[in-house]
Amino acid sequence: MNFHDSAKAEQELLRAIASGNVESIARTTVDNIWPLFNSHFELLRSAVESLPNSVLDRRPILRALHPMTPVLARTTRPFKPLMSPDEARIMTPDELDVLTLVQIIAFRASGDVAASLIYARRLEDRIAFTKGNSRDRIDGPLWFYHYQIGSTLLAAGESSRALLQFTIARELGRLSLQEDAERLVLARTALAYAVRGSLSDAETTLAEAALQPQSTIAHRESSITAERTAAALIGVERMVSNVDELLSNLEPYDSIAMSWPLALLVRARSLLARLRPDEALEAVCLARDAHPPQHGSFASDVISSVYLEALWGVGDATTAQNVIEAQTKPGMLTLSAIVRVSLHQSRTDLASSALRRLEQSRNLGPGQHANLLLLSAWHEMVQSGTLHSATVRQIWRLGLREDSRRLLATMPAQLIELTREGLSADEVAAFDQATEGLAHVDVQRRPVLTGSELRVLNALPVHATTADMAMSFHVSPNTIKSQLSSLYRKLGCSTRDEAVAIASRFHLFAHAAE
């Protein structure tokens, strides 16, 4: 396998194409894959497109390069290339490296991020413990291996480990003869920083990327989508005035780009922060239906969390609760959503459990730490009705940071007001100026009902009339009317249907059964 001399690689492929022999074209392409990929991508793609399926199926690396493969992989034809031990034994170390790289990309594109992660770790081990001639070359693919390992870690939600791989890839890219290697890596690095909430680092990295040469055609789409998504993440977290313009630059919901879950996250965060949950629900449903399930991945965490928060936002408490109960190994985003929905319901037991799991995470970035702090403050407010002075100071400091504007926008109005009550006049003025323009949701506290009120509440779905309830409980109709009046007052409603809906949202029926 030839990893250098792009001019020679081009000449050999052109001769093979002129011969018309598909086996010769395939063999020449595979033998010169790296220089062709970097320097003659359009010629490489044209050669691959000319090959019949029978030839492509025997060469996974060529199948991976066919433009139809990623499109079909997300729907009807997952691409998961495997290799028998006997076949692997006759391959050179360089050939095995490339095959493992193809498996990383193919399984990731097909929605199997867990398997892609296994192959990424396998390639990482090969780099560390197995000699490979191409890896020692300055014009070799080692930087690209680390870049793809980091990309898979990012797709799996392991952003801190992804950053380490991107750091290695960038240093190797600087040394390589490929002029756009550094820009490609910087784009994904900025994305990883933005996901972690390290917005200043993401911003600095984007600025560094902009100073690099434009990406070549082989890497242009990956570089552009990563840079645009990182910029949009920064803008949404800071809730900048041109956020809609940033969002318009993102790929559509059915994109096959690796960054599609992040594009969904950016859009949904913006919509939820601006109190537009119905649009966020539509966005997550469209994105979910356009891609294969990616269990255990960052994509599945994004989908579950957005779906849960949007459902609650549109008032579908029953489905939201079903989503919570269906979670077996929720990611950090989903755990945060569970805390939010539980606190809206005043379910402090569920919120406490999810908060503990968030606190145990060892890889929280700055934005995730800020989110945890605010959720813990909300939990404190629901439990005690007030905020400790230390909590007020923490929220105030967060409020003065532009990076926390979206997070503060997702907090209930009651929490913001309690924070203001604990500040001095000068601090209130600074806090109000920093949080100006943010819309907050009023949170209804879970009603505390007496035993008789709970009994009447549970009877509402069963008995059609007040007389039926009175007969069942062996009391007078006036007694039932009095208890209903008290129940409606506490629930803030005036009809039976409204009372049942509100009680369901706060899980008062389940509470009564306990």
Side-chain angles (χ1 to χ4, degrees):
M1 186 170 287
N2 180 19
F3 284 89
H4 55 285
D5 199 344
S6 63
K8 181 180 178 182
E10 180 188 25
Q11 292 171 3
E12 290 183 0
L13 181 54
L14 287 172
R15 281 197 296 269
I17 293 172
S19 74
N21 186 309
V22 294
E23 290 294 338
S24 176
I25 295 172
R27 184 172 59 253
T28 303
T29 303
V30 171
D31 288 345
N32 296 278
I33 194 68
W34 185 243
L36 289 172
F37 182 76
N38 286 318
S39 302
H40 307 285
F41 185 76
E42 290 179 312
L43 176 63
L44 170 63
R45 178 66 66 87
S46 176
V48 170
E49 289 177 4
S50 72
L51 298 174
N53 285 332
S54 58
V55 174
L56 294 174
D57 289 341
R58 287 185 280 111
R59 294 173 173 85
I61 188 170
L62 300 186
R63 171 63 75 186
L65 289 167
H66 197 285
M68 289 292 292
T69 299
V71 177
L72 296 176
R74 67 177 187 180
T75 53
T76 59
R77 197 181 304 164
F79 177 48
K80 300 182 177 182
L82 301 174
M83 186 67 63
S84 71
D86 290 339
E87 291 174 306
R89 274 192 288 270
I90 63 175
M91 299 178 73
T92 67
D94 288 338
E95 289 172 334
L96 276 174
D97 284 351
V98 173
L99 173 63
T100 309
L101 177 69
V102 170
Q103 291 170 320
I104 291 171
I105 298 171
F107 277 82
R108 193 174 68 212
S110 296
D112 196 345
V113 175
S116 179
L117 195 59
I118 291 172
Y119 287 110
R121 289 168 177 159
R122 186 174 298 176
L123 182 57
E124 192 175 5
D125 289 342
R126 287 187 56 76
I127 292 170
F129 303 113
T130 305
K131 175 74 173 176
N133 293 331
S134 68
R135 298 193 226 114
D136 296 332
R137 295 185 56 87
I138 198 170
D139 58 349
L142 184 56
W143 73 268
F144 193 66
Y145 293 165
H146 283 285
Y147 165 78
Q148 289 294 350
I149 292 170
S151 296
T152 298
L153 288 167
L154 183 58
E158 299 184 27
S159 56
S160 60
R161 291 185 59 206
L163 283 170
L164 175 60
Q165 292 295 325
F166 291 148
T167 299
I168 299 171
R170 183 186 181 186
E171 293 301 319
L172 292 169
R174 282 174 172 167
L175 298 173
S176 75
L177 302 180
Q178 186 173 338
E179 63 178 12
D180 64 347
E182 193 172 356
R183 179 160 192 159
L184 181 64
V185 176
L186 283 170
R188 287 273 167 91
T189 304
L191 201 51
Y193 276 132
V195 169
R196 294 178 60 77
S198 302
L199 304 188
S200 295
D201 289 330
E203 197 170 39
T204 300
T205 305
L206 282 178
E208 292 178 41
L211 297 176
Q212 302 298 318
Q214 286 291 336
S215 299
T216 56
I217 188 170
H219 304 300
R220 188 170 301 152
E221 183 180 355
S222 296
S223 180
I224 289 173
T225 56
E227 290 177 26
R228 288 177 175 175
T229 306
L233 263 170
I234 295 169
V236 166
E237 293 306 302
R238 293 175 175 171
M239 297 195 72
V240 296
S241 59
N242 67 329
V243 66
D244 286 324
E245 179 184 344
L246 294 172
L247 295 177
S248 69
N249 291 327
L250 299 179
E251 62 265 33
Y253 298 120
D254 59 352
S255 168
I256 61 175
M258 196 208 80
S259 56
W260 74 261
L262 291 162
L264 170 63
L265 180 65
V266 175
R267 286 190 173 98
R269 281 182 171 178
S270 178
L271 292 169
L272 291 169
R274 291 186 284 177
L275 307 183
R276 292 155 60 182
D278 52 335
E279 295 177 55
L281 185 60
E282 174 71 0
V284 72
C285 289
L286 288 173
R288 181 191 59 193
D289 293 344
H291 297 89
Q294 300 195 2
H295 302 296
S297 67
F298 185 74
S300 66
D301 195 18
V302 170
I303 287 173
S304 294
S305 63
V306 174
Y307 189 47
L308 181 53
E309 290 196 49
L311 283 170
W312 178 261
V314 299
D316 191 349
T318 301
T319 305
Q321 188 60 35
N322 291 338
V323 172
I324 292 176
E325 293 172 357
Q327 299 298 317
T328 54
K329 294 182 179 180
M332 286 193 296
L333 296 176
T334 305
L335 283 172
S336 293
I338 291 173
V339 174
R340 291 176 186 278
V341 171
S342 299
L343 290 175
H344 273 295
Q345 299 171 311
S346 296
R347 298 290 300 275
T348 55
D349 53 340
L350 293 178
S352 297
S353 176
L355 278 171
R356 282 194 297 271
R357 295 177 68 175
L358 279 173
E359 291 165 352
Q360 292 167 1
S361 176
R362 295 173 295 177
N363 297 314
L364 294 178
Q368 295 151 341
H369 276 295
N371 178 56
L372 179 59
L373 186 155
L374 289 172
L375 290 177
S376 298
W378 186 354
H379 182 262
E380 180 182 327
M381 180 189 74
V382 172
Q383 279 193 311
S384 65
T386 186
L387 292 177
H388 192 275
S389 59
T391 304
V392 169
R393 306 307 301 174
Q394 288 177 317
I395 297 174
W396 179 69
R397 285 192 290 269
L398 273 181
L400 300 184
R401 293 173 45 197
E402 64 174 349
D403 291 358
S404 301
R405 280 178 59 80
R406 182 197 64 84
L407 285 173
L408 282 166
T410 65
M411 291 296 108
Q414 292 92 328
L415 181 71
I416 302 302
E417 190 55 38
L418 279 176
T419 300
R420 295 177 76 258
E421 290 173 4
L423 300 174
S424 67
D426 289 343
E427 290 169 339
V428 167
F431 187 76
D432 287 349
Q433 182 178 1
T435 58
E436 185 180 2
L438 301 185
H440 303 282
V441 179
D442 284 323
V443 178
Q444 183 180 354
R445 292 183 63 87
R446 188 182 193 187
V448 178
L449 304 180
T450 65
S452 60
E453 290 164 347
L454 283 170
R455 182 179 68 171
V456 170
L457 172 65
N458 280 287
L460 288 177
V462 180
H463 298 286
T465 66
T466 301
D468 287 342
M469 275 191 258
M471 185 178 298
S472 175
F473 298 148
H474 306 291
V475 297
S476 71
N478 284 336
T479 298
I480 297 298
K481 288 178 182 178
S482 174
Q483 292 170 346
L484 276 174
S485 176
S486 175
L487 174 67
Y488 290 168
R489 177 178 51 79
K490 288 186 177 181
L491 295 181
C493 64
S494 58
T495 68
R496 296 164 64 96
D497 290 342
E498 288 176 347
V500 169
I502 293 170
S504 296
R505 190 166 78 241
F506 283 106
H507 291 268
L508 295 173
F509 291 117
H511 181 73
E514 295 167 3

